[in-house]
Amino acid sequence: MPITPAKDKAEIREVILNDEYILSLGFTDEYTYNTNATDEKLEYNNKQIFIYNAPSRTNNLNTKTLEQLIQIDVSVPVNNASVGDLAIEQIIALFDEYEWKDGGHGEMRVIAPSPTPLACQSGFYTVAARFAYYTTIVNDKKRKEWFLWQLKHRK
């Protein structure tokens, strides 16, 4: 399947937000983003998840595929650091060997260094995990009419 970053992140977000354990830890739809963390986005007393693409890697064995990388950061107030660790453990369990709904990409695997704490704004604890999966480099060109139809029929 072609490179589809928006669709991939949306599927990952959906899986995370449908997980009862993640929700029981206090994570919500409102604070789960399909973008990387910035100090401006970190909000005091909120538990947040950031889903974004890390730089892809060339597959030397097959020039028609790329190894795509997704990074998921969990950011919590520093006094809830253990909740951040529990959340990233569950996220790793959800996505290591994850098979995409449409079967179009290779299965996702957790890669090192995961989990890993990240430097962040004072008062927060942020921990991340990275996942790799394979896509084809052949994308279909989309036309303006198709884009407008998708916008009109989006749920």
Side-chain angles (χ1 to χ4, degrees):
M1 176 172 233
I3 301 167
T4 54
K7 183 178 145 308
D8 298 349
K9 289 183 286 188
E11 183 172 331
I12 291 167
R13 187 176 190 275
E14 179 184 343
V15 170
I16 290 171
L17 292 173
N18 284 317
D19 185 75
E20 291 180 15
Y21 184 73
I22 294 287
L23 298 177
S24 76
L25 294 174
F27 293 91
T28 65
D29 175 68
E30 183 179 3
Y31 296 106
T32 303
Y33 305 98
N34 283 346
T35 184
N36 61 331
T38 63
D39 287 348
E40 295 80 36
K41 279 206 185 294
L42 294 176
E43 296 186 26
Y44 184 72
N45 278 338
N46 289 322
K47 298 170 185 160
Q48 299 168 283
I49 297 174
F50 300 89
I51 305 160
Y52 57 98
N53 295 91
S56 62
R57 300 189 284 209
T58 302
N59 179 358
N60 292 326
L61 298 176
N62 182 343
T63 59
K64 296 292 184 193
T65 63
L66 283 177
E67 183 181 28
Q68 297 293 323
L69 301 178
I70 290 280
Q71 183 160 322
I72 302 173
D73 299 350
V74 173
S75 184
V76 296
V78 73
N79 60 339
N80 288 82
S82 62
V83 171
D85 287 336
L86 292 172
I88 206 70
E89 286 175 18
Q90 181 70 355
I91 287 168
I92 290 170
L94 288 170
F95 293 109
D96 190 35
E97 299 183 6
Y98 179 76
E99 294 185 17
W100 296 91
K101 289 180 183 176
D102 62 10
H105 298 319
E107 86 179 4
M108 208 165 17
R109 299 296 308 224
V110 66
I111 60 171
S114 291
T116 187
L118 300 176
C120 63
Q121 182 177 329
S122 178
F124 289 89
Y125 172 72
T126 301
V127 61
R130 276 193 176 183
F131 300 88
Y133 60 97
Y134 289 94
T135 62
T136 178
I137 62 168
V138 181
N139 271 28
D140 297 324
K141 290 184 183 175
K142 295 175 178 62
R143 297 185 6 227
K144 178 181 173 184
E145 295 80 15
W146 176 245
F147 174 74
L148 294 174
W149 183 88
Q150 283 184 320
L151 286 177
K152 183 177 177 182
H153 294 91
R154 185 178 292 178
K155 291 182 181 181

